[in-house]
Amino acid sequence: TATATATPTITTTTLTTSSTTTTATTPTAPTPTTSTTALIVGNPWPVVAGLGWLRGAEIEAAQVATFFPGSKVLGGSAALASSIVEQLRRTRPGIVHFATHGVQDPLALLEAAGSITAGRAKDLRMAWSWDLKGGLACALPADLRPGDDGEVTDGEVTDGNGGLAFRHAAFLHARHIANLDLSGVHLAVASACNSHRGFFNHLEQSSLGVPQDGTAGLSLAFLRAGVPRAIVTLWPVDDDATSSLMSFFYARLTAAGDVHNQFAPLHVARSLRHAILDQWDWAAGYGINYRDDPFYWA
């Protein structure tokens, strides 16, 4: 039997490698020890063509919510960009957790899907050339039409309060996250593929002193929005493995008790490191080797 930090209840999940598939049990929350609330986005659907259904992300969102009573979970068709932004503005959560698709170049995907024209994509790239790149997939609005820019009608439509309406958003873009006020958020987790990847044009890289290695994406967007800590991924990640890893992470994180200790930088880093080790041991108990392939834990 595999061991975990705290496993009073279990949830069935599927562990996979390139050659093995097995059913196992995933750790879920112990008795909650925190009053922190979270906004959790899990498996938005439908999404832009070219992106698939994330069963593990849906399980992940439900599991993360058990650690933070009173939290808001937006999944499926409810995970619209407009709804996510509204919740961020209205509820001021302590944690923001995204379990969805991460895309380095949303405009390229929208263009390939036929949601925007090549000309519109070119215009937006020119208009956004000085902004952060990358985005998190959201549920497609029912009235999103081919030719829309996949962001908001006619580009920059305001909501009457000086903010963006996000009515037709297919993605929550890094450039928009950076312009939100998330100063009350202790931790942002982008549990999605490639969520640390992004890029600037060379002039902005030079002026901002940003490394020219393609890593200035969603992580920098969260920091600009006022979030002091962000957890992101380095490359494509496995849906099921990420789901279980996040359960181990939040079990470790919330074990610290009060908010001050939970979100201390060293505790967050240690919680993630120990969660990776916990997951290796847990998966090994079912004959799965996660240790040797960072695809399952980085």
Side-chain angles (χ1 to χ4, degrees):
T1 302
T3 59
T5 304
T7 57
T9 58
I10 56 177
T11 301
T12 299
T13 190
T14 302
L15 297 176
T16 59
T17 65
S18 59
S19 59
T20 308
T21 299
T22 188
T23 299
T25 53
T26 301
T28 55
T31 302
T33 58
T34 179
S35 58
T36 303
T37 60
L39 174 62
I40 303 159
V41 178
N43 191 28
W45 191 261
V47 290
V48 172
L51 301 177
W53 174 270
L54 296 174
R55 186 188 71 92
E58 186 169 338
I59 295 171
E60 176 181 332
Q63 291 176 333
V64 172
T66 65
F67 290 90
F68 305 101
S71 296
K72 181 70 174 179
V73 179
L74 295 175
S77 61
L80 299 166
S82 56
S83 299
I84 295 168
V85 172
E86 178 187 3
Q87 288 294 322
L88 287 170
R89 289 170 172 165
R90 186 168 60 84
T91 63
R92 312 289 290 183
I95 289 180
V96 180
H97 183 100
F98 291 92
T100 182
H101 291 282
V103 178
Q104 185 180 13
D105 188 356
L107 291 177
L109 195 59
L110 289 165
E111 184 180 350
S115 295
I116 58 175
T117 64
R120 180 61 173 152
K122 180 180 179 180
D123 290 344
L124 287 173
R125 284 195 181 92
M126 291 294 294
W128 297 356
S129 63
W130 287 84
D131 286 311
L132 289 165
K133 308 302 189 293
L136 296 164
C138 303
L140 288 175
D143 59 348
L144 184 66
R145 302 174 300 275
D148 286 332
D149 61 19
E151 183 197 69
V152 287
T153 307
D154 298 323
E156 304 291 298
V157 175
T158 64
D159 60 6
N161 297 313
L164 293 173
F166 295 92
R167 284 203 306 270
H168 282 178
F171 293 91
L172 192 57
H173 294 265
R175 63 188 297 272
H176 289 150
I177 292 173
N179 288 320
L180 294 172
D181 178 10
L182 302 182
S183 55
V185 176
H186 303 296
L187 173 68
V189 179
S191 180
C193 292
N194 301 312
S195 59
H196 187 52
R197 296 181 65 187
F199 48 87
F200 287 90
N201 64 32
H202 293 303
L203 288 175
E204 186 172 29
Q205 287 177 317
S206 300
S207 65
L208 296 179
V210 175
Q212 297 185 28
D213 57 2
T215 59
L218 289 163
S219 52
L220 185 55
F222 283 119
L223 294 176
R224 283 189 179 180
V227 183
R229 299 161 199 90
I231 294 177
V232 293
T233 61
L234 298 173
W235 42 60
V237 294
D238 181 76
D239 185 32
D240 293 317
T242 304
S243 175
S244 60
L245 177 62
M246 288 295 100
S247 290
F248 283 113
F249 168 67
Y250 284 110
R252 288 282 187 175
L253 184 76
T254 56
D258 63 68
V259 171
H260 176 75
N261 290 325
Q262 284 174 1
F263 300 108
L266 186 57
H267 178 66
V268 173
R270 284 176 171 169
S271 295
L272 185 57
R273 177 180 181 274
H274 284 294
I276 293 170
L277 299 177
D278 290 341
Q279 188 192 43
W280 288 355
D281 292 340
W282 170 72
Y286 295 97
I288 304 295
N289 181 9
Y290 280 170
R291 178 189 297 267
D292 294 341
D293 193 342
F295 172 70
Y296 295 106
W297 46 266

